[in-house]
Amino acid sequence: MTTAAAPTTEQFEKIPTKIHPTAAAAAAALAREVADLIRERNAAGRATVLGLATGSTPVPFYRELIRLHREEGLSFANVITFNLDEYHGLARDHRESYFRFMREQLFDHVDLKPGSIHLPDGTVALDKVFAHCQAYEAAIDAAGGIDLQILGIGRTGHIGFNEPGSTRDSRTRLIALDRITREDAAADFLGEANVPRFAITMGVGTILRARRIALMAWGENKAEIVRQAVEGPETEAVSASFLQSHPDARFLVDAAAAKALTRVKLPWLVTHVDWDEAGTRRAVTWLALKHHKPVLKLLDEEYNENGMAELLTRQGRAYDLNIRIFNQLQHTITGWPGGKPDADDTTRPERATPHPKRSLVLAPEPQDDVLSMGATLQRLVEHGHHVEVVYLTSGDLRVADAEASKFAKVLLETSETIATGAAGDAAGAAGDWSRQVAYARDMLAQLEAKGPFGDPPAALRRLKGLIRRGEARDAAQALGLSPEHVRFLDLPFYAKGRYRQFRLEDADIAAVRATLEEIQPHQIFITGHLADPNSVQGVAWRAFAAAWDQCGQAPWKNDCRVWLHRGHQRELEPHEIHMAVPLSPDQLARKLAAIRKFQSPTNPDQLTGERNRQTARTYDALGLAEYEAIEAFERWGA
Ligand code: GLP
C-alpha cells in the first residue's frame, strides 16, 4: 500500500519518531550525532556527558562509535559517561554485569578515561544502596547534567530498569525486576531462576533531566510497546511514555519496530491511501476484528465510519469487497504445505508441481523449527517431500548447566562401570576407558570452576552443543524425519559469540550459500526477517538474505518460494498470512510431544501451542472454518 506523504500521518504520535530502513542506518545516524556533539563541545572547551544504555539494541550504535574513533579520529578523552543501570548482586567482572558489557562493547575500544566512566555498583550492600544512589545523582549533577541520554526499551515499556509503577519523578534506586524482563533475560543467565531479582536504576526523573534523549528500538517484538509509549497516554505502566513531556526526546526505530504505529498499521486513519490488494486485506481483517464480526457480515456504514469510504467507492459495495477478501483468506488454508499433487493449484498457496519438492527448513537455533512449524514439517514428510532441516547453530547457549552435568555424570559412571568389567557382557570386555573418565571429570570440573554465571569454556560449549543436537534429532524424528536429514552448520557468528554480542561474518554467509547451492530447494522455511538484527534469529536472517543475493541469477531461485514464519515469540497477523496450515488436536499433541524432547525449553511451557491456537481463533473470528490450531506463513516478496 503506498501512502501520500502528509503532515497528518503522525498525528497520533506524541514523541517525534523516525522510522529508519534498518537498525544499522539508525545507529549510524545517531553515532554521527554524538560525534558532532562531542566535537562541538570540545571546540567550546567543554566535556560531553553521555548517558548510556545496555541491551542488544545499542550494540550497532556502539560499534559505529568505535569505528568513528578508529577511522575518523573521534576522541572520547573529554567525554564523561553515566550508565542507566546495573543488576544488583553482580560483581563488575560478572559475565552478565552491565559494567562488563560496557567494557566489551565500548569502553575497552575507545580512549575514555577510566575515571570518566560511571555505573551504579551492583555489589553495594542493601543498607548502603540508598546512599549510593544519592551519590550517583550527585555525580551526574557535578558533571553538569547529561547532555545526551541513549535509551533502549524493554518489553514492559521500561527505560533503564524503571518497571511499571515507576513514577515520573523517580530517582536512582533499587527496583525489583518485572517477570517479563526476567523472562527476556533468561537466555543470558541460562534460565529465569538465575536472573537477578533486583537492579539499581536511574529513575524516570533522572532520565528526564537529560538535555536531549534518543531512544532506539529494533524488531517486531518491540512494535507494540513502542506504539504504547509513543501514542498511548503518559502512564506509570509504561515508563517510556513519560518521554512525551520531554522537550527534546525522540525515538529511532527500524521498520519492524514501527509496525504498530497508526501511520504504518492503519494508514487510512491518518492519510490518503492508494488501496492495493495487501492494504485492502489488512483493512478488512482489521475492521472485522474491531467489530467482532466475521468478514462476510461487515456493512457499508462500518467501512464509512472507519475512514474507508474511499475504499468502498473504489471497490464497490461492502458485499462484494467482503466476499473477495473472504475468498482470499479461505485460499490461504491448506493441509498441503508442499503443494497438492495432481490438483488445480490456481488458488492454493503452493504449486502442485514439482512433486515431491526439495523443502529446506533453515532454523536459526534448534527448536525454532519445531515451535513454529512442527506440524507443517510433519506434513511435508508425510507427503513424501525431500525435507532437509538445517540448523544454523548448535543452540548450545540454551542448554542449562544441569543438563551438561547430568550427561557428564552418566558418562563418568558408565565408563567406570565398563572399565571394571561390572557392566557384564553387553558392554563388551573391560578395557581402557581412562580417556572417557578423564573427559567426564574434566567437564564436571569445568562446570564447577565456571559456577552458575562464569564464561563457558569452548569444550563445555561443545558438550552442550552435542546435547542440543541430540534433542533436535529426537524432535525431528518424533515428527517423522529421519536423522540423516538433519544437519548442523555451526555458523561461526554463534560458535564464537554470545547473546546480544553476535557479529555476522563472511564465513556465515558462505556456509549458508553453499547449503542453498547444494540443495537447490523448491521451498525454504525460515524466520528472523523482523527480529532484532542482533538476535540469533536476526543474524541468521541476515546471513540467509546475503547468501540468497550472492546466489545471483541461479535458475533454481526462479522455482523456489521462501516461506517466513515468526519465530517463537509471535504469530503473524491475519492479513500477513499467505499459507495457513491447520492442525487437528492430534497433530498439535504430536507437535507438543516433539517440543518436549528439548530439556531446556526456549519458551515458557504455557505459551507452547497457545500461539497456534490463537491464530485458529482469529481465523474463526473472521468467519473461516474453526480449527484447533494453525501454523502460519508469509511468502517472502509477495
Ligand atoms: C534491559 C536494560 C534496558 C534495555 C532493555 C532492552 O532491561 N536495562 O536498558 O533497554 O533491557 O534490552 P534489549 O535492547 O536487549 O532488547
Side-chain angles (χ1 to χ4, degrees), residues 52-59 84-87 98 101 150-156 158-163 177 181 184-185 188 199 201 215-218 222 500 532:
L52 300 178
T54 50
S56 54
T57 307
V59 166
L84 284 166
D85 45 13
E86 177 61 281
Y87 288 113
Y98 282 170
F101 177 93
I150 304 298
L151 295 174
I153 183 168
R155 272 204 302 141
T156 60
H158 69 215
I159 44 179
F161 268 134
N162 288 285
E163 298 290 25
L177 299 181
T181 301
D184 283 349
D188 305 304
T201 181
L215 185 149
M216 293 177 274
W218 329 128
K222 297 284 172 72
R500 300 181 205 273
D532 177 333

Side-chain angles (χ1 to χ4, degrees), residues 336 338-344 348 351-357 383 385:
W336 297 82
K340 187 171 186 180
D342 306 321
D344 174 9
R348 289 175 178 277
R351 303 144 293 169
T353 53
H355 184 91
K357 289 190 173 57
H383 294 162
H385 298 289

